[in-house]
């Protein structure tokens, strides 16, 4: 359901907009937030770009990333764009707490499968590799000029969500869009270097600790990342974004699982699959979400019982 025209009508009729994505943002969430924000500013609109968490260190190279705020104050908006995330409680912080009427119309710009949307207008393209692809389509329909900065932001969303143009969501359309962004000023190598070749040394120490926990059975491979490991490696969790790809890289492993301890005593579970398993369905069993090949959820409890429960569910889907 991609109602581009309704989104365009909201943009044309309003003047002050809020844009927000999920907490613990990734390159698609932050890149889409800022790209949409800057595009709207080019149309003469006032924009607040929000994230409840700080922009992770490896995304701080993105143009205007220092303009993303983590507090709202008591401002009111004509519309709120939720990008890459369909639930206000996943945006969390001030946006989750805000009165609905201060947010104006809620517009969902996304590429995730979703079950319960809290949105007034839904612009979701489940075939888009990244939310950034939906944002670009919107700009093309409006005729917004793509500046080199917006091109960089959108190209970053493509790289992150398509695994550098390798995953099954890499379509001819995505590559054509990517070509347009390069012509508009995006530099693939500069972006990849900033994203993947700029890790702090603590990354290796943390990876060593996490790989110690690797285990596999029945086509499932898993690793654990605890708060204790973060402390021991003096690392921040942002550096672990790609760690789940190690268990998935093993021949014969169909589903990879990362169990990550959150500060709150809860566990964040990430799922990745190679081909036939739809991990969205597994995550949805635990009130999570995502896509067929990448999904996640959060569960409260002790690791041993969570592991047994989650791996038991994964086995049912193999
Ligand atoms: P990751 O494992 O990288 O955090 O997330 C993989 C995919 O699943 C992303 O598209 C992300 O937005 C989605 N996802 C991760 N955790 C959750 C969750 O708790 N709820 C929902 N709805 N989606 C999630
Ligand atoms: Mn995304």
């Amino acid at each position: 359901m991609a109602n581009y025209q309704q989104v365009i009508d909201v943009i044309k009729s309003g003047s002050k907009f809020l844009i927000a994505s999920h907490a613990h943002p990734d390159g698609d969430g932050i890149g889409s937030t800022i790209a949409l924000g800057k595009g709207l500013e080019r149309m003469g609109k006032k924009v607040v770009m929000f994230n409840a968490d700080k922009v992770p260190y490896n995304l701080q190279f993105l143009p205007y990333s220092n303009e993303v705020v983590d507090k709202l104050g008591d401002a009111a908006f004509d519309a709120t764009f939720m990008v890459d995330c369909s639930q206000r409680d996943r945006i969390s912080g001030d946006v989750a707490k805000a009165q609905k009427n201060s947010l104006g119309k809620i517009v969902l710009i996304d590429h995730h499968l979703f079950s319960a949307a809290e949105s007034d207008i839904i612009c979701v393209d489940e075939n888009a590799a990244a939310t950034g692809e939906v944002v670009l389509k919107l700009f093309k329909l409006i005729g917004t000029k793509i500046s080199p900065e917006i091109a960089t932001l959108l190209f970053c969303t493509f790289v992150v969500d398509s695994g550098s143009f390798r995953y099954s969501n890499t379509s001819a359309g995505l590559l054509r869009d990517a070509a347009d962004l390069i012509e508009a000023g995006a530099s693939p190598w500069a972006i990849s270097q900033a994203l993947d070749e700029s890790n702090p040394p603590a990354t290796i120490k943390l990876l060593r600790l996490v790989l110690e926990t690797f285990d596999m059975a029945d086509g499932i491979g898993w690793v654990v990342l605890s708060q204790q490991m973060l402390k021991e490696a003096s690392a921040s969790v942002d550096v672990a974004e790609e760690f789940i790809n190690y268990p998935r890289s093993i021949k014969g492993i169909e589903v990879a699982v990362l169990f990550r301890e959150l500060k709150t005593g809860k566990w964040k579970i990430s799922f990745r699959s190679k081909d036939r398993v739809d991990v969205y369905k597994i995550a949805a069993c635990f009130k999570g979400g995502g896509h067929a090949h990448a999904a996640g959820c959060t569960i409260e409890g002790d690791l041993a019982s969570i592991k047994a429960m989650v791996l038991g569910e994964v086995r049912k889907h193999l």
Side-chain angles (χ1 to χ4, degrees):
M1 244 191 297
N3 295 314
Y4 287 97
Q5 192 51 50
Q6 289 182 10
V7 181
I8 294 168
D9 293 343
V10 167
I11 293 171
K12 290 205 165 135
S13 62
S15 59
K16 188 164 184 200
F17 300 118
L18 172 65
I19 305 167
S21 188
H22 51 86
H24 306 292
D26 57 14
D28 191 26
I30 284 292
S32 298
T33 296
I34 307 175
L36 181 59
K38 290 293 149 183
L40 292 175
E41 279 182 4
R42 289 183 88 93
M43 298 170 214
K45 312 293 179 178
K46 283 213 161 51
V47 167
V48 174
M49 302 179 290
F50 173 91
N51 202 283
D53 285 313
K54 292 234 157 358
V55 175
Y57 84 95
N58 68 331
L59 297 174
Q60 288 171 8
F61 77 97
L62 286 172
Y64 313 109
S65 62
N66 59 339
E67 293 181 25
V68 178
V69 299
D70 59 4
K71 292 278 177 299
L72 272 193
D74 47 6
F77 301 93
D78 296 321
T80 292
F81 293 85
M82 302 204 297
V83 298
D84 204 41
C85 171
S86 60
Q87 297 152 286
R88 266 216 278 161
D89 62 351
R90 284 191 70 224
I91 295 176
S92 77
D94 284 355
V95 173
K97 283 183 233 149
Q99 294 290 331
K100 169 92 167 65
N101 58 7
S102 71
L103 298 176
K105 278 220 156 63
I106 306 261
V107 182
L108 174 63
I109 311 269
D110 201 359
H111 68 132
H112 289 94
L113 301 161
F114 64 98
S115 42
E118 306 164 71
S119 320
D120 300 309
I121 293 169
I122 294 170
C123 187
V124 176
D125 179 357
E126 284 157 13
N127 294 315
T131 297
E133 215 185 340
V134 183
V135 173
L136 180 60
K137 171 107 187 261
L138 185 65
F139 287 167
K140 284 184 171 172
L141 288 170
I142 297 173
T144 312
K145 184 171 168 357
I146 307 297
S147 65
E149 291 79 14
I150 291 178
T152 299
L153 290 155
L154 292 177
F155 197 90
C156 168
T157 72
F158 293 7
V159 170
V160 169
D161 270 27
S162 70
S164 302
F165 305 104
R166 291 180 300 123
Y167 297 159
S168 56
N169 58 7
T170 303
S171 63
L174 183 75
L175 293 174
R176 281 191 199 101
D177 282 345
D180 290 344
L181 295 177
I182 293 172
E183 281 175 350
S187 161
W189 174 232
I191 293 167
S192 296
Q193 235 179 323
L195 286 172
D196 301 326
E197 318 270 340
S198 306
N199 287 324
T203 311
I204 299 291
K205 187 156 186 199
L206 185 64
L207 179 61
R208 198 184 295 142
L209 296 170
V210 168
L211 290 182
E212 287 278 347
T213 70
F214 170 73
D215 207 350
M216 60 185 281
D218 311 323
I220 314 166
W222 62 92
V223 286
V224 177
L225 196 176
S226 66
Q227 287 292 322
Q228 173 59 31
M229 291 175 198
L230 289 174
K231 223 189 273 169
E232 201 175 324
S234 305
S236 81
V237 72
D238 321 336
V239 305
E241 201 66 27
E242 300 297 319
F243 287 7
I244 191 169
N245 294 329
Y246 286 90
R248 186 169 68 175
S249 71
I250 305 300
K251 187 167 180 167
I253 286 187
E254 182 55 35
V255 177
V257 187
L258 168 74
F259 297 90
R260 175 158 72 77
E261 187 179 16
L262 302 174
K263 280 191 189 117
T264 48
K266 294 179 182 169
W267 289 79
K268 165 82 203 283
I269 326 291
S270 291
F271 302 95
R272 300 289 185 271
S273 69
K274 271 188 187 140
D275 290 312
R276 54 198 165 81
V277 178
D278 183 346
V279 287
Y280 168 79
K281 288 190 184 144
I282 301 174
C285 294
F286 304 106
K287 298 195 168 68
H291 309 270
H293 297 295
C297 61
T298 303
I299 307 180
E300 207 165 340
D302 67 286
L303 179 60
S305 22
I306 290 175
K307 246 188 187 171
M309 183 168 70
V310 167
L311 297 178
E313 187 60 41
V314 177
R315 273 188 194 96
K316 290 190 211 158
H317 294 252
L318 278 164

